[in-house]
Short mmCIF file of all heavy atoms in Angstrom, two decimals:
data_model
loop_
_atom_site.label_atom_id
_atom_site.label_comp_id
_atom_site.label_asym_id
_atom_site.label_seq_id
_atom_site.Cartn_x
_atom_site.Cartn_y
_atom_site.Cartn_z
N VAL A 1 41.81 14.67 4.54
CA VAL A 1 42.23 15.37 3.32
C VAL A 1 41.10 16.33 2.90
O VAL A 1 41.39 17.40 2.38
CB VAL A 1 42.55 14.34 2.19
CG1 VAL A 1 42.75 15.05 0.91
CG2 VAL A 1 43.79 13.51 2.61
N ASN A 2 39.87 15.97 3.07
CA ASN A 2 38.77 16.76 2.63
C ASN A 2 38.74 18.14 3.30
O ASN A 2 38.06 19.08 2.82
CB ASN A 2 37.50 16.11 2.88
CG ASN A 2 37.31 14.83 1.97
OD1 ASN A 2 38.06 14.63 1.08
ND2 ASN A 2 36.26 14.05 2.29
N THR A 3 39.41 18.32 4.49
CA THR A 3 39.41 19.55 5.16
C THR A 3 40.18 20.59 4.43
O THR A 3 40.12 21.79 4.84
CB THR A 3 39.93 19.38 6.60
OG1 THR A 3 41.27 19.00 6.58
CG2 THR A 3 39.07 18.47 7.44
N GLN A 4 40.82 20.26 3.33
CA GLN A 4 41.42 21.25 2.42
C GLN A 4 40.40 22.06 1.77
O GLN A 4 40.59 23.22 1.36
CB GLN A 4 42.32 20.60 1.43
CG GLN A 4 43.54 19.93 1.92
CD GLN A 4 44.26 19.19 0.85
OE1 GLN A 4 44.32 19.61 -0.33
NE2 GLN A 4 44.86 18.02 1.20
N LEU A 5 39.14 21.52 1.63
CA LEU A 5 38.06 22.18 0.93
C LEU A 5 36.86 22.40 1.94
O LEU A 5 36.24 23.46 1.89
CB LEU A 5 37.59 21.34 -0.22
CG LEU A 5 36.40 21.90 -0.99
CD1 LEU A 5 36.69 23.25 -1.58
CD2 LEU A 5 35.98 20.89 -2.15
N ALA A 6 36.50 21.46 2.76
CA ALA A 6 35.36 21.54 3.60
C ALA A 6 35.74 22.10 4.96
O ALA A 6 36.77 21.74 5.52
CB ALA A 6 34.77 20.17 3.79
N ASP A 7 34.90 22.92 5.57
CA ASP A 7 35.05 23.38 6.89
C ASP A 7 34.92 22.29 7.94
O ASP A 7 35.60 22.23 8.94
CB ASP A 7 34.13 24.54 7.18
CG ASP A 7 34.26 25.70 6.25
OD1 ASP A 7 35.40 26.24 6.20
OD2 ASP A 7 33.34 26.07 5.53
N ILE A 8 33.95 21.40 7.66
CA ILE A 8 33.67 20.36 8.60
C ILE A 8 33.61 19.07 7.77
O ILE A 8 33.07 19.03 6.67
CB ILE A 8 32.22 20.50 9.21
CG1 ILE A 8 32.03 21.86 9.91
CG2 ILE A 8 31.95 19.31 10.22
CD1 ILE A 8 32.66 21.96 11.24
N SER A 9 34.24 18.02 8.30
CA SER A 9 34.37 16.78 7.51
C SER A 9 33.80 15.66 8.45
O SER A 9 34.12 15.56 9.66
CB SER A 9 35.78 16.49 7.15
OG SER A 9 35.88 15.46 6.22
N TYR A 10 33.08 14.74 7.78
CA TYR A 10 32.51 13.57 8.48
C TYR A 10 32.83 12.29 7.72
O TYR A 10 33.10 12.25 6.59
CB TYR A 10 30.95 13.69 8.50
CG TYR A 10 30.48 14.70 9.46
CD1 TYR A 10 30.12 16.03 9.01
CD2 TYR A 10 30.28 14.41 10.81
CE1 TYR A 10 29.69 16.99 9.91
CE2 TYR A 10 29.84 15.40 11.71
CZ TYR A 10 29.45 16.61 11.23
OH TYR A 10 28.99 17.57 12.08
N VAL A 11 32.79 11.19 8.51
CA VAL A 11 32.84 9.83 8.01
C VAL A 11 31.48 9.26 8.26
O VAL A 11 31.00 9.36 9.39
CB VAL A 11 33.95 9.02 8.78
CG1 VAL A 11 33.76 7.53 8.52
CG2 VAL A 11 35.29 9.53 8.43
N ALA A 12 30.80 8.71 7.26
CA ALA A 12 29.54 8.03 7.45
C ALA A 12 29.76 6.50 7.34
O ALA A 12 30.18 6.06 6.31
CB ALA A 12 28.53 8.51 6.35
N LEU A 13 29.36 5.85 8.42
CA LEU A 13 29.55 4.41 8.48
C LEU A 13 28.23 3.71 8.75
O LEU A 13 27.30 4.30 9.34
CB LEU A 13 30.55 4.05 9.58
CG LEU A 13 31.93 4.61 9.50
CD1 LEU A 13 32.63 4.53 10.82
CD2 LEU A 13 32.69 3.86 8.41
N TRP A 14 28.12 2.45 8.30
CA TRP A 14 26.96 1.68 8.62
C TRP A 14 26.86 1.49 10.16
O TRP A 14 27.83 1.31 10.81
CB TRP A 14 26.99 0.34 7.90
CG TRP A 14 25.74 -0.47 8.06
CD1 TRP A 14 25.60 -1.64 8.67
CD2 TRP A 14 24.45 -0.14 7.58
NE1 TRP A 14 24.37 -2.10 8.59
CE2 TRP A 14 23.54 -1.18 7.97
CE3 TRP A 14 23.96 0.98 6.89
CZ2 TRP A 14 22.22 -1.20 7.58
CZ3 TRP A 14 22.56 1.02 6.64
CH2 TRP A 14 21.75 -0.08 6.99
N GLU A 15 25.65 1.67 10.64
CA GLU A 15 25.43 1.65 12.13
C GLU A 15 26.08 0.50 12.88
O GLU A 15 26.63 0.73 13.99
CB GLU A 15 23.99 1.64 12.41
CG GLU A 15 23.23 0.36 11.96
CD GLU A 15 21.72 0.38 12.32
OE1 GLU A 15 21.30 1.26 13.10
OE2 GLU A 15 21.06 -0.47 11.75
N LYS A 16 26.12 -0.71 12.30
CA LYS A 16 26.74 -1.80 13.01
C LYS A 16 28.29 -1.79 12.98
O LYS A 16 28.91 -2.53 13.66
CB LYS A 16 26.27 -3.14 12.35
CG LYS A 16 24.79 -3.35 12.54
CD LYS A 16 24.28 -4.56 11.95
CE LYS A 16 22.80 -4.74 12.19
NZ LYS A 16 22.03 -5.59 11.41
N CYS A 17 28.85 -0.84 12.19
CA CYS A 17 30.29 -0.71 12.09
C CYS A 17 30.84 0.51 12.80
O CYS A 17 32.03 0.76 12.76
CB CYS A 17 30.70 -0.77 10.64
SG CYS A 17 30.08 -2.23 9.77
N VAL A 18 29.98 1.36 13.37
CA VAL A 18 30.40 2.60 13.97
C VAL A 18 31.15 2.39 15.27
O VAL A 18 32.08 3.18 15.57
CB VAL A 18 29.12 3.48 14.24
CG1 VAL A 18 29.48 4.64 15.13
CG2 VAL A 18 28.54 3.97 12.90
N LYS A 19 30.89 1.33 15.99
CA LYS A 19 31.56 1.14 17.30
C LYS A 19 33.05 1.17 17.20
O LYS A 19 33.75 1.77 18.02
CB LYS A 19 31.07 -0.17 17.90
CG LYS A 19 31.61 -0.39 19.32
CD LYS A 19 31.10 -1.70 19.91
CE LYS A 19 31.61 -1.81 21.30
NZ LYS A 19 32.16 -3.09 21.60
N ALA A 20 33.61 0.51 16.20
CA ALA A 20 35.07 0.49 16.02
C ALA A 20 35.61 1.90 15.83
O ALA A 20 36.71 2.23 16.35
CB ALA A 20 35.48 -0.37 14.82
N ALA A 21 34.91 2.67 15.09
CA ALA A 21 35.41 4.12 14.91
C ALA A 21 35.29 4.90 16.17
O ALA A 21 36.20 5.67 16.53
CB ALA A 21 34.57 4.78 13.78
N LEU A 22 34.20 4.73 16.92
CA LEU A 22 33.96 5.45 18.14
C LEU A 22 35.04 5.04 19.27
O LEU A 22 35.36 5.82 20.15
CB LEU A 22 32.64 5.22 18.71
CG LEU A 22 31.50 5.94 17.94
CD1 LEU A 22 30.11 5.53 18.48
CD2 LEU A 22 31.67 7.45 18.03
N GLU A 23 35.59 3.86 19.11
CA GLU A 23 36.66 3.42 20.05
C GLU A 23 37.96 4.25 19.74
O GLU A 23 38.90 4.29 20.59
CB GLU A 23 36.96 1.94 19.93
CG GLU A 23 35.78 1.13 20.48
CD GLU A 23 35.94 -0.38 20.17
OE1 GLU A 23 36.87 -0.78 19.46
OE2 GLU A 23 35.07 -1.14 20.69
N GLN A 24 38.03 4.93 18.67
CA GLN A 24 39.15 5.77 18.25
C GLN A 24 38.84 7.29 18.39
O GLN A 24 39.27 8.12 17.64
CB GLN A 24 39.56 5.48 16.84
CG GLN A 24 39.90 4.03 16.59
CD GLN A 24 41.08 3.58 17.43
OE1 GLN A 24 42.04 4.32 17.61
NE2 GLN A 24 40.94 2.36 17.96
N GLU A 25 38.04 7.60 19.46
CA GLU A 25 37.54 8.96 19.67
C GLU A 25 38.71 10.03 19.70
O GLU A 25 38.59 11.03 19.08
CB GLU A 25 36.87 9.00 21.07
CG GLU A 25 36.34 10.33 21.40
CD GLU A 25 35.06 10.78 20.68
OE1 GLU A 25 34.34 9.93 20.22
OE2 GLU A 25 34.85 12.02 20.61
N ALA A 26 39.77 9.69 20.32
CA ALA A 26 40.93 10.56 20.39
C ALA A 26 41.54 10.89 19.00
O ALA A 26 41.86 11.97 18.71
CB ALA A 26 41.99 10.07 21.29
N LEU A 27 41.63 9.82 18.16
CA LEU A 27 42.15 9.96 16.87
C LEU A 27 41.24 10.83 15.98
O LEU A 27 41.68 11.81 15.34
CB LEU A 27 42.40 8.58 16.23
CG LEU A 27 43.03 8.58 14.92
CD1 LEU A 27 44.42 9.15 14.93
CD2 LEU A 27 43.13 7.13 14.39
N PHE A 28 39.92 10.57 16.02
CA PHE A 28 38.99 11.37 15.25
C PHE A 28 39.03 12.84 15.80
O PHE A 28 38.98 13.79 14.96
CB PHE A 28 37.55 10.78 15.34
CG PHE A 28 37.31 9.72 14.33
CD1 PHE A 28 37.77 8.42 14.61
CD2 PHE A 28 36.72 9.99 13.12
CE1 PHE A 28 37.44 7.42 13.67
CE2 PHE A 28 36.42 8.98 12.21
CZ PHE A 28 36.85 7.71 12.46
#
């Protein structure tokens, strides 16, 4: 949703919780 305003958008996650997000590489 933030891409309505920002050119680049990020999700910041705690390092121990990043693996689950990285497993969704295609979705991101």
Side-chain angles (χ1 to χ4, degrees):
V1 171
N2 294 350
T3 62
Q4 293 175 35
L5 178 60
D7 299 302
I8 307 280
S9 192
Y10 287 95
V11 166
L13 300 165
W14 187 243
E15 65 180 345
K16 293 178 180 162
C17 303
V18 167
K19 184 178 182 228
L22 287 174
E23 290 172 354
Q24 302 299 320
E25 178 77 23
L27 187 58
F28 277 82

